[in-house]
Amino acid sequence: MNTTQEDMHNPLQAKSRAREVVMMHWWVTRMKEDTTRIHCAQLATPTSLNSLIDAFTALLRSDHTPSVGIALDYYQSYESMFRHGIENPFEQFDDEVLKFARQLLQQPPVIASEQIEAKEDGANHASALAGMMNLAEIDDADLIAQALLMATTSEVKRNGALAAAGVLEDADAPPLALIYSLESLIFDEQNSYHARSAAISALSESDSEAAYEVILRATHLPEIELQSQAAIALTERDFPAYQAEIERVIDSWPLEVEYPATKLLAMLREKEEDGSA
């Protein structure tokens, strides 16, 4: 949906126009304190920019884990609107967001049957990793890796992989614990496609041999979607070096394939046309 220049400075309009849905990990209706529910209502339907920010900071700075989690969920929801050209009104609180996200990630994952506000196990980690997606630093690598290894839900695993991507992109030396946790995620067929796909994408942000050894192995997975995503990463990194492996992948496919396999085929056609294949 198109957004105007005015929308970029009006997050109240922009949220409605972009039609973004906050993937909350918490049951607002089960919050015990009236003030917490009021702040949640202000976040959902703000009457002004000031009321939006006041509600956000009140929840973020709370000592109540579900309240902090909701604030982190909203932070990521607004952050995701950047692709629509919309500014995040909470950007000024980036340092606090990262601080409180780290604190939640250092907690044991919540058990939904014991934390009535949680929609699923590990909701605190899901919210923390969501808030860290564009903020995580190299020092967070081990924390994210540990969360991935403890994760039992697809949402935590996917958010962890997305948070790991930024760390791997900025790392001068490969954080091996993080790479190994993503490797475990990718090769566990019990994990969802979306989580495994996010893990391959995260590894492709690294320029390390350790990461690309995992990606190369991922081309041998039985799922065409994951094979092709791994092959795309190899193509983008160094097509001549991996050409034989990429062609091996394609040769195993049926005649009719879907995205992202079609993307790989289109990339190879372009290389043939410009003579780089």
Side-chain angles (χ1 to χ4, degrees), residues 224 253-259 261-262 265:
I224 290 177
W253 291 350
L255 293 178
E256 297 294 329
V257 291
E258 299 179 353
Y259 184 89
T262 51
L265 295 175

Side-chain angles (χ1 to χ4, degrees), residues 187-209:
F187 291 98
D188 184 347
E189 62 183 16
Q190 299 301 314
N191 291 326
S192 71
Y193 162 73
H194 294 293
R196 298 169 79 190
S197 172
I200 293 174
S201 179
L203 287 174
S204 72
E205 296 294 337
S206 173
D207 194 39
S208 71
E209 290 299 324

Side-chain angles (χ1 to χ4, degrees), residues 221-225 227-228 247-259 261-262 264-265 269:
L221 288 167
E223 298 88 353
I224 290 177
E225 296 86 353
Q227 288 177 14
S228 53
E247 290 175 350
R248 171 189 56 77
V249 170
I250 294 172
D251 288 344
S252 70
W253 291 350
L255 293 178
E256 297 294 329
V257 291
E258 299 179 353
Y259 184 89
T262 51
L264 176 62
L265 295 175
R269 281 196 299 270

Side-chain angles (χ1 to χ4, degrees), residues 25-210:
H25 303 107
W26 307 92
W27 298 109
V28 174
T29 55
R30 296 181 183 177
M31 298 293 173
K32 296 178 181 179
E33 295 184 11
D34 291 340
T35 53
T36 301
R37 289 198 297 273
I38 290 170
H39 292 320
C40 291
Q42 288 175 326
L43 275 180
T45 55
T47 56
S48 69
L49 184 58
N50 284 340
S51 72
L52 180 72
I53 290 176
D54 288 347
F56 173 77
T57 53
L59 292 173
L60 183 67
R61 296 166 181 169
S62 168
D63 58 2
H64 183 228
T65 291
S67 299
V68 178
I70 288 172
L72 295 174
D73 287 343
Y74 268 92
Y75 175 90
Q76 178 53 28
S77 178
Y78 275 99
E79 185 71 8
S80 69
M81 293 187 213
F82 180 79
R83 64 182 179 272
H84 299 294
I86 299 164
E87 296 175 350
N88 185 347
F90 307 134
E91 186 176 0
Q92 59 188 302
F93 304 106
D94 281 0
D95 289 345
E96 285 189 78
V97 167
L98 184 55
K99 180 183 79 171
F100 289 113
R102 285 168 172 165
Q103 289 180 5
L104 259 59
L105 210 55
Q106 288 167 353
Q107 300 173 351
V110 299
I111 306 301
S113 60
E114 299 173 1
Q115 179 100 46
I116 62 170
E117 300 97 335
K119 286 189 175 181
E120 60 183 359
D121 292 345
N124 55 338
H125 286 189
S127 293
L129 292 163
M132 296 174 77
M133 280 180 193
N134 296 321
L135 300 176
E137 300 172 348
I138 185 62
D139 289 344
D140 298 309
D142 288 345
L143 196 58
I144 296 171
Q146 183 180 18
L148 281 170
L149 293 175
M150 289 190 295
T152 59
T153 66
S154 179
E155 186 73 2
V156 176
K157 293 171 183 178
R158 178 178 177 275
N159 286 0
L162 293 171
V167 174
L168 291 171
E169 182 180 16
D170 296 336
D172 292 329
L176 295 181
L178 188 55
I179 290 174
Y180 294 151
S181 66
L182 291 167
E183 178 183 15
S184 295
L185 197 164
I186 291 167
F187 291 98
D188 184 347
E189 62 183 16
Q190 299 301 314
N191 291 326
S192 71
Y193 162 73
H194 294 293
R196 298 169 79 190
S197 172
I200 293 174
S201 179
L203 287 174
S204 72
E205 296 294 337
S206 173
D207 194 39
S208 71
E209 290 299 324

